[in-house]
Amino acid sequence: MDLAVIALTFGAIFVVELPDKTFLATLVLSTRYRPLLVWIGVGLAFAVQTTVAVLLGHAASFLPDTAVKALALVMFLIGAVILFREGRAHHQAAEDEFADKAKPAQGWRAILASFLVLFAAEWGDLSQLLTLTLVARYDDPRSVFVGALGALLMVSGLACLVGRALLRWISLHVLHYVGSGVCLVLAAVTAYELLR
């Protein structure tokens, strides 16, 4: 495993996921259920989603290097635009959407409910697409898996433990803009390597 790829993946996914709807969903779920049960359910959903993204990214890595870099460049640019637009149009309405899905539950039912809500929310999410792109780009599935899953577990842990307090200090729209900037930097690096 490559520590540089793990660190790059962790940083990119962490910054992109922090302002995402999955952070908000985890925060809302942790107000309804025991935070540890939410974190377990959310972590399992993230593990499945990250595995799918890594497998798809690994399959894409068999494409020619130029095609992979061009695809990665496009995905990073799309991610930057999506995050920028979400930053401009951020609404708290999403919080109500996740609260409605959180019915009273305890034990394994709370874990299952958290898993299902996050599994549905994360499918095709920007962090999943970014994970897929990073695997295709660096052709190191294990390192990207470790970095991506680590970042997702860290973000969900923050949401469970200190989500509401964190949102008092940092606005979600600012985090969207930071995530957009990270995607632009990754796009610029990829474009440089593509044109070199």
Side-chain angles (χ1 to χ4, degrees), residues 22-46 102 105 107-118 153 156-157 159-161:
T22 51
F23 177 84
L24 189 59
T26 304
L27 188 150
V28 171
L29 289 167
S30 68
T31 64
R32 304 277 192 260
Y33 310 134
R34 286 185 48 212
L36 178 61
L37 299 178
V38 171
W39 190 71
I40 291 169
V42 167
L44 292 171
F46 283 143
W108 68 270
R109 290 177 189 227
I111 292 172
L112 181 62
S114 299
F115 174 88
L116 292 174
V117 168
L118 260 291
L153 291 174
S156 60
C160 287
L161 295 176

Side-chain angles (χ1 to χ4, degrees), residues 39-57 111-112 114-116 118-120 122-125 127-129 131-132 145 148-150 152-153:
W39 190 71
I40 291 169
V42 167
L44 292 171
F46 283 143
V48 172
Q49 295 288 11
T50 303
T51 300
V52 170
V54 165
L55 291 174
L56 291 173
I111 292 172
L112 181 62
S114 299
F115 174 88
L116 292 174
L118 260 291
F119 187 79
E122 187 69 9
W123 195 256
D125 191 62
S127 62
Q128 190 180 36
L129 296 175
T131 300
L132 186 155
F145 179 85
L149 186 58
L152 292 167
L153 291 174

Side-chain angles (χ1 to χ4, degrees), residues 9-125:
T9 303
F10 181 92
I13 299 295
F14 184 86
V15 170
V16 166
E17 195 65 21
L18 198 54
D20 195 60
K21 64 184 176 289
T22 51
F23 177 84
L24 189 59
T26 304
L27 188 150
V28 171
L29 289 167
S30 68
T31 64
R32 304 277 192 260
Y33 310 134
R34 286 185 48 212
L36 178 61
L37 299 178
V38 171
W39 190 71
I40 291 169
V42 167
L44 292 171
F46 283 143
V48 172
Q49 295 288 11
T50 303
T51 300
V52 170
V54 165
L55 291 174
L56 291 173
H58 186 59
S61 70
F62 293 112
L63 296 170
D65 191 48
T66 304
V68 170
K69 286 181 181 175
L71 179 64
L73 173 63
V74 169
M75 293 302 292
F76 290 141
L77 289 174
I78 289 171
V81 170
I82 289 171
L83 285 168
F84 184 80
R85 289 181 66 195
E86 284 181 6
R88 287 184 56 209
H90 179 70
H91 299 289
Q92 288 298 106
E95 187 170 331
D96 298 332
E97 170 192 343
F98 298 117
D100 292 342
K101 293 179 183 176
K103 306 295 181 213
Q106 295 180 4
W108 68 270
R109 290 177 189 227
I111 292 172
L112 181 62
S114 299
F115 174 88
L116 292 174
V117 168
L118 260 291
F119 187 79
E122 187 69 9
W123 195 256
D125 191 62

